[in-house]
Each structure stands twice: as structure tokens, then as C-alpha cells.
Amino acid sequence: MALQGQKTKSDYLNWDTMKSLVLKLERDGNYKYALLIGVGSYVGLRVSDLLQLTFTHVLNKDHFIIIEKKTKKERRVDINPELKELVERLYSKIQPSSDNELMFVNKFGKKAISVQHINWTLKQICLKYSIKGQYSSHFMRKTLGRRIWEVNNCSEKALLLLSELFGHSS
């Protein structure tokens, strides 16, 4: 496991592999990580921003607004229909005590899961499901980036979309 603040390398998952992994996690009752990987891969937020989400941000919504922790910029995040269906399905299985509860709470139910714990758990998930590569919490953002790049035929348009989506200045 990487130390806090240490740079780590992370691969991306092929889009179909990501969707398959989410379904396997759901099938096996690991709803929290199915939701984390699904939401993270569909919206491309940094893990620090994912961890501040509540169900009221995403449940029955077409978009939500978030202030990004790293950049302090306001960002509008659209929720695509596939993600909306996934969130509703997993919400009914997780059954949080309140919609204002953080989506990704630790085992004590008070704070968000730590990034270190997420990275450790992702490595365990990859071992369990025989997913080759190096994966950290950043893989979800990279997975969305690769998906947009491929869907737009690796074009300049794709680079502009990615720059806008990820809030990159150059």
C-alpha cells in the first residue's frame, strides 16, 4: 500500500471490463464498491470529490453541482441514464439510514472511507476477480478518460472534451 501523499501509478480498465466488475461486485454483495467504481467511472471525479457525495447529490437527479476539493472550482456533473439506474438499484440494496448520508462511509458509518483503504480494497478486488494491472483510486477517472478518447476516435475533439471534463487549464 502506498503511503499517504505518495505518487502511485494506476492503469485504466476497459469500459466493458469496468461494467462487468461492477455487476460482479453487486452480485457478490459488495454494493459500496460497486457503487464507488460505477459512479467514479461514469463521472470522472477525483476520489476526494467522490468521497464527499451523498445520495441526495445523485438520487433521482439528472445532474449535480460540486465544489472540487483540489481546484476549489464549481463543477456541474451530468448523470447519464445508465448511472442513474445503477445508483437507484444499489441505493435500494444499501438502504442508508438517510439520503444525506455519505455514499461511501467507513465501517463505523460516520466518515468517508479513507483513500488508503480504497486503494488497498481495490487491489484485493483485482486479485479476487483476476484483473491484471496496477489499480488505485485514480483508475476510475482514467477509465472514463480512455472511454471518451476511444468513443471520439482518438481525435482532437476528444482531447478538448477531456480537457473540459477534467477541468484542465491546458
Side-chain angles (χ1 to χ4, degrees):
M1 179 176 3
L3 298 174
Q4 187 171 3
Q6 180 181 0
K7 298 274 187 208
T8 59
K9 179 189 176 298
S10 185
D11 295 323
Y12 67 90
L13 274 181
N14 168 284
W15 193 254
D16 290 334
T17 304
M18 178 278 298
K19 288 172 65 174
S20 174
L21 176 60
V22 168
L23 291 174
K24 288 174 184 176
L25 288 166
E26 181 180 0
R27 174 198 69 201
D28 294 344
N30 194 340
Y31 306 131
K32 188 185 313 182
Y33 279 88
L35 188 62
L36 178 69
I37 292 168
V39 172
S41 297
Y42 273 99
V43 301
L45 289 172
R46 289 180 183 90
V47 71
S48 59
D49 298 324
L50 287 172
L51 294 178
Q52 61 182 318
L53 292 179
T54 65
F55 283 101
T56 54
H57 280 107
V58 297
L59 201 58
N60 302 315
K61 303 268 177 73
D62 294 323
H63 71 276
F64 62 90
I65 307 289
I66 190 168
I67 305 293
E68 293 181 319
K69 274 187 144 184
K70 182 177 179 181
T71 64
K72 308 291 187 248
K73 293 179 185 173
E74 183 176 278
R75 178 166 164 199
R76 176 192 158 113
V77 179
D78 292 323
I79 302 172
N80 112 348
E82 281 184 41
L83 176 58
K84 188 183 282 194
E85 191 265 322
L86 175 70
V87 168
E88 290 171 4
R89 192 173 69 239
L90 291 172
Y91 171 81
S92 69
K93 292 177 179 180
I94 292 171
Q95 297 180 338
S97 55
S98 163
D99 290 355
N100 293 320
E101 181 179 298
L102 291 171
M103 291 174 72
F104 310 111
V105 292
N106 64 16
K107 64 183 175 183
F108 304 109
K110 301 292 180 203
K111 293 181 176 179
I113 311 168
S114 73
V115 176
Q116 291 78 18
H117 190 268
I118 289 171
N119 288 333
W120 181 84
T121 303
L122 289 173
K123 285 172 183 33
Q124 301 310 306
I125 287 170
C126 290
L127 285 172
K128 179 178 180 176
Y129 296 103
S130 301
I131 297 172
K132 304 282 187 240
Q134 253 186 303
Y135 297 95
S136 70
S137 58
H138 198 64
F139 94 86
M140 298 169 282
R141 193 167 160 94
K142 284 186 165 188
T143 297
L144 178 63
R146 178 57 73 150
R147 174 72 173 165
I148 290 170
W149 175 249
E150 289 171 352
V151 166
N152 289 282
N153 299 315
C154 309
S155 65
E156 274 190 48
K157 176 186 174 191
L159 292 175
L160 292 172
L161 284 169
L162 288 168
S163 179
E164 184 179 324
L165 174 70
F166 292 147
H168 294 160
S169 56
S170 62

